[in-house]
Amino acid sequence: MKANKDRAAQGIAYCNIAFAHEKLRELRKAVEYHWKALYIYEGEVALDLGKQSVAYANLGRLYHDMGDHQQAVDCYQKALTLAETLKDTDMIANIQEQLRKAGRSGGGWRSHLLNF
């Protein structure tokens, strides 16, 4: 039990490091640390679907900012699936809005928004 709490705390620390890199506009490093957190959230702390959803949404936002629109859509869709599993209506609405914004700037991937 304590090991899971320690790993969850490590995941949160990775997210905080990612946010620090994002503030410094070191987006690739921010992506790296969000993936490290996600690895923890999907592995040993697998029951925390909320943290997984947030991590995927953060990755989607970063990939969008970096111009990698397909990777952004993939991450947003994973985040959306998890949020729907949790029935988290606030998170669902937030992710849908992010997909809409990404669709306006990404051009070719508006078709992903037809499901909404």
Side-chain angles (χ1 to χ4, degrees), residues 49-63:
L49 299 180
K51 283 187 175 63
Q52 290 178 39
S53 181
V54 169
Y56 274 117
N58 287 335
L59 284 164
R61 181 177 40 76
L62 287 168
Y63 281 122

Side-chain angles (χ1 to χ4, degrees), residues 59-77:
L59 284 164
R61 181 177 40 76
L62 287 168
Y63 281 122
H64 179 255
D65 289 350
M66 291 168 48
D68 189 342
H69 303 301
Q70 187 56 54
Q71 189 69 30
V73 167
D74 292 345
C75 288
Y76 280 138
Q77 287 179 329

Side-chain angles (χ1 to χ4, degrees), residues 8-58:
Q10 186 177 10
I12 291 167
Y14 282 145
C15 285
N16 289 336
I17 292 169
F19 289 129
H21 282 293
E22 187 174 355
K23 287 286 186 190
L24 295 170
R25 300 303 298 161
E26 297 171 348
L27 300 185
R28 292 192 191 287
K29 285 299 252 186
V31 165
E32 176 186 334
Y33 278 94
H34 276 302
W35 277 115
K36 287 181 180 190
L38 189 57
Y39 178 77
I40 290 170
Y41 298 149
E42 288 182 332
E44 294 147 40
V45 192
L47 297 178
D48 198 340
L49 299 180
K51 283 187 175 63
Q52 290 178 39
S53 181
V54 169
Y56 274 117
N58 287 335

